Amino acid sequence: ILVYDQNNLSWSRSYLKFIVLQIYNLHSTDFEVHRNWLAITHSLPVSRWYHENTSEWTLDYPPLFAWFEFGLSHVAQHFDRNMLQVENLNYASPSTVLFQRLSVIFTDVVFIYAAKECCRCVQEQKGSRDVLNRPSFVLAVLLLWNFGLLIVDHIHFQYNGFLFGVLLLSVAKHLQSQHLQGALLFAILLNLKHIYLYVAPAYGIYLLRSYCFTQDNKDGSIRWMSFSPLRLLALGSIVVSVCALSFGPFIAMGQLPQVLSRLFPFKRGLCHAYWAPNIWALYNVLDKGLAVLGVRLKLLEEAELPRASMTGGLVQEFQHSVLLSVSPSATLVCTLLSILPAVASIWLRPCGARGFLRCLLLCALGSFMFGWHVHEKAVLIAILPLSILAVESREDARIFLVLTTTGHYSLFPLLFTPTERPVKVSLMLMFTIFSFTALRKLHSGQGPLLRPLEVVYLLGLVVVAIACEVVFPLSPWQQRLPFLPLLATSVYCSVGVCYSFLRLYVRLLQRDDKPKQL
Amino acid sequence: MKTWSLVSICVLLGVVVRWGVSLNSYSGAGKPPMFGDYEAQRHWQEVTYNLPLQEWYFNTTDNDLNYWGLDYPPLTAYHSWICAYVAKIINPDWVELHKSRGYESPTHKLFMRTTVLVADLLIYIPAVVLYCLYLTDGSSKKKISTLLCFLLYPGLILTDYGHFQYNGVSLGFALWGILALGLGWDVSGSMAFSLALNYKQMELYHALPFFCYLMGKCIKAGPMGRGLFLLVRIAATVLATFALCWLPFLSDPSQALQVVRRIFPVARGLFEDKVANTWCSLNTLIKIRSILSGDSQLYLSLACTFLAVLPSSFRLLTKPTFWHFKLALVNSSLAFFLFSYQVHEKSILLAALPVCLLLNDLPLIAIWFLQASTFSMLPLFLKDGLLVPYVVTSLAFLFFSLYLLSALDHCSEDELRMGAYNKLLFFLPKMDLACVVRWKFYISVAVMAVLSIVSIALVPPPHLPDLFPVLVSTTAFLHFFGTFVYFNVVQFSEPPSRKSQKKNN
């Protein structure tokens, strides 16, 4: 019955996606980005792929993704040949739109398969239960109907479903103790989108510690003698071969520096235009606040302050006025410092696959919190794997509810037209209602799930939502301070995200009772 | 899981689907000079806001009745007036007298679609939720499944949010009436139904069952005493509601008469366009329209309708239970659809609503009919550019309802109440009825799918330009006629088991 339910959930997910597909008759820049990449990979020889810059949206994903687009372009030519001309900038005929959207829906199959695999890993609790209350069913719904993923993938147009599918599949494989497959999938993922480098430390340390060292001492510490060079070799060869497959042609042509410069552009600003709810949002607000305060108290001259344009434009740089300016290397150092304890913890006291999952979450969240030019949708890298833990343990369910609600709400500003408003509100409500009631039912019997403070915070989120969506557009400040709702949303959500980050850390660093599984 | 959370999730899903469909094209988009139903609604807002009430239904210099004149009863006009009032606040250009003809813009489309959604949320959806929670039997999971399928019925979504109409309001009021009658509140029910009648005159399709049910109840309660008292109360409520709605028009008899003339245009022919009813289908074989005169066509259709609706009404009069009431609603609206004068394809929605009420009791036949009704409107949807929503919503509806209601499992003779069939057709060899029905269902769905694909993909031969619409409407007609016969048989067979009968009464 369960499999049948998951099948139906998958179909219903596709149905929802088709319906949501109707929405985007206006499209975001990502649409043009991917059309451009289809054109580049189809029309130009391989040597020109990373040199091409007719359009401003140059190829900035690793080569494996370029090969993926190349494959797609062969199907695309049957829909509309014109989209594959590099010169046709902003070309968007109906068949082009249809093809692009269908491609996202079809590659979504990977995500559906990954969700099924994750559900298989979930520990079922004893006792016959109604289908709706089984952990694996709840997980299936939480993954397949994840609001953030639906919104981001369809309305913002990217292949996130596909990429997250690969990530979740690799996690599932590790949970099922098939580490080589998991490593392979992660290597593929890295070569598809290099943003996942952020979680690579978790993979690296976990595999090194728990896979290459086959046994531990009784007290859990490392047993150096049990090192298995064979396993290390297997892992290494997998990673190297995948990278060779994707980067090989470019290394052979000596284009590696060019490719790397495309992949890691550091010219963009500290914060994305919509201010991901991370530490830097709080930092910016503090800076602005101090600047205003300083001017009021006559400690600073207004003319001395640099024109703060952190709030305008898409990819501009800015400087802080009172606090220290933040450079890319500083963010990198902060990120590494933030994930160091987590990584060290799974080296010194490995807790099996679930410990690895926690470390992965912390790496993802840490890089979200402290990273350079982070996009709000990066919070999904933390939310989706956390769903697996949420259906198993009560503590994690609590953190999940806080993180998910704030993370999803922070995605609201991405959809700002009135046309999309009913859909985003309805979908968000649907997901939130489901996650709260299902998780509460699943972990019932030990008092209320959320602490009073958390409840107050989440209710405050509703207030902020109403203020930003309804009250603000009708108020007199609309003209003077147009970025105020964005600011409020980011700051309020970053509080929630920081809180979840700290709580997850506490969870990891507490001694877990789970025995090592390998 | 708590019921309220599942209910809210279903409602939200219904809203998402509706809004998703509403982002597509509407009828008459970008097609001057007449455009379509969308322009008609906008024009009514213009007329009702700018002109005094006395001129709404009259042909004056300011009000050209040939350009989408008002042809619904006053409640529609009042609704348009309210919408126009809001429109004026947002952007006066939308309802500028004369100048706003053919006005089309993305913001205006958003506004119009929002009015449909608001009307639905206020009237139709609450009625559906209350009906599914309180008047269907089964476990709460079954009720939620019924609710979801009810809300996902594609025909209404595509017509209201695609083609653009306000059927949700009139059907919603009718549903409130049915709900009240089911809970035993006869007076409120009659008031709600009167409101529905005053919104769209096509609700008359449902009028006979309401009348027979209430009359039968009054007779049962005793022709003298309680029954009479009930009758008087109902009659008074109905008259009061009508009077209230028509109040501004009652001051001058010519006003009222003009309104009646507008809402019942008898000058038109037996049928218009391609409709899945008897006359249109018969017309393919025998050209009735040319054989009979206009008057005799009218009398013929009246006679046939009367004959068709008589059995079920009589049965309801003698056995006024809620179960029979639901069946009579189906039978009556189907009879009117099949045999009446000047029927539009969208009138099938009036039959679809009562069938939705039977989703719980007779899932397979209900789903079958609902799918056929959506299919019958395919030519209309294709004209409006609603191909993708049609395909997606139909497939999803079929899929969800078959799974959630386990329709294909409950096919036994008893569950389909086909015992009477066996008695009627005693001369045929005994077959496994469930298997036969299932196969008929599969074949029918396959035929509908094939015809849909053919209508979309192929170009008709030049000497038969209407080939595909005609094929679609004849196939749909066969389905509807078969359903009509089936539901009549069911109404005359044994009532359902004691347990459900108690609840329904």
Side-chain angles (χ1 to χ4, degrees), chain A residues 463-484:
Chain A
V463 172
V464 170
I466 296 177
C468 291
E469 298 271 338
V470 178
V471 172
F472 185 77
L474 303 171
S475 76
W477 297 314
Q478 163 78 2
Q479 306 298 331
R480 275 204 312 144
L481 304 166
F483 57 82
L484 198 57

Side-chain angles (χ1 to χ4, degrees), chain A residues 327-398:
Chain A
S327 69
S329 20
T331 61
L332 193 62
V333 169
C334 288
T335 314
L336 287 174
L337 282 176
S338 70
I339 67 176
L340 204 60
V343 167
S345 157
I346 60 166
W347 174 266
L348 296 171
R349 278 188 328 214
C351 302
R354 280 176 173 70
F356 152 69
L357 191 54
R358 269 183 229 287
C359 182
L360 184 129
L361 283 171
L362 284 166
C363 289
L365 260 186
S367 56
F368 179 78
M369 298 282 294
F370 295 98
W372 179 263
H373 199 78
V374 173
H375 197 283
E376 295 89 349
K377 58 184 188 270
V379 77
L380 288 173
I381 309 181
I383 290 178
L384 288 172
L386 187 54
S387 322
I388 304 176
L389 293 174
V391 298
E392 287 180 340
S393 101
R394 205 185 144 77
E395 244 334 282
D396 291 320
R398 228 159 79 196

Side-chain angles (χ1 to χ4, degrees), chain A residues 4-5 8 11-12 15-16 18-19 22-23 25 133 145 418-419 422-423 426-427 429-430 433-434 437-438 441, chain B residues 1 4-6 8-9 12-13 15-17 19-21 23-24 110 141 152 388-389 392-393 396 399-400 403:
Chain A
Y4 201 15
D5 279 315
N8 287 302
W11 282 114
S12 62
Y15 167 60
L16 203 68
F18 259 110
I19 284 292
Q22 304 304 317
I23 292 185
N25 293 318
N133 290 329
W145 281 63
T419 322
V423 175
S426 308
L427 285 177
L429 279 176
M430 264 170 72
I433 291 176
F434 179 80
T437 38
K441 190 80 195 275
Chain B
M1 279 185 81
W4 67 264
S5 60
L6 280 174
S8 32
I9 291 179
L12 286 169
L13 184 61
V15 168
V16 169
V17 172
W19 195 255
V21 170
L23 287 150
N24 287 283
L110 184 64
K141 252 182 89 178
L152 286 182
V388 178
V392 173
T393 46
F399 181 74
F400 277 121
Y403 172 65

Side-chain angles (χ1 to χ4, degrees), chain B residues 243-264:
Chain B
L244 214 67
C245 292
W246 287 63
L247 198 61
F249 299 96
L250 290 175
S251 52
D252 184 8
S254 66
Q255 281 272 330
L257 209 60
Q258 174 67 1
V259 179
V260 174
R261 231 179 270 135
R262 284 298 300 171
I263 65 183
F264 292 112

Side-chain angles (χ1 to χ4, degrees), chain A residues 448-465:
Chain A
L449 192 59
L450 291 174
R451 292 219 188 101
L453 200 62
E454 293 164 347
V455 175
V456 166
Y457 175 76
L458 289 175
L459 287 175
L461 197 64
V462 176
V463 172
V464 170

Side-chain angles (χ1 to χ4, degrees), chain A residues 172-229:
Chain A
K173 291 296 175 201
H174 280 299
L175 287 174
Q176 292 166 357
S177 304
Q178 286 167 329
H179 298 280
L180 286 176
Q181 289 184 29
L184 174 67
L185 285 163
F186 186 68
I188 294 177
L189 184 66
L190 266 188
N191 280 293
L192 281 171
K193 193 167 178 181
H194 50 291
I195 200 170
Y196 294 98
L197 265 177
Y198 282 131
V199 300
Y203 272 89
I205 301 295
Y206 170 68
L207 285 172
L208 194 61
R209 174 69 174 86
S210 303
Y211 185 66
C212 295
F213 290 93
T214 45
Q215 283 175 353
D216 276 351
N217 287 329
K218 287 254 171 30
D219 61 353
S221 66
I222 195 165
R223 183 187 281 190
W224 294 98
M225 285 294 112
S226 68
F227 181 71
S228 158

Side-chain angles (χ1 to χ4, degrees), chain A residues 43-57:
Chain A
S43 322
L44 300 175
V46 178
S47 54
R48 298 262 334 136
W49 284 1
Y50 281 93
H51 284 283
E52 175 59 38
N53 58 359
T54 315
S55 157
E56 54 176 325
W57 311 114

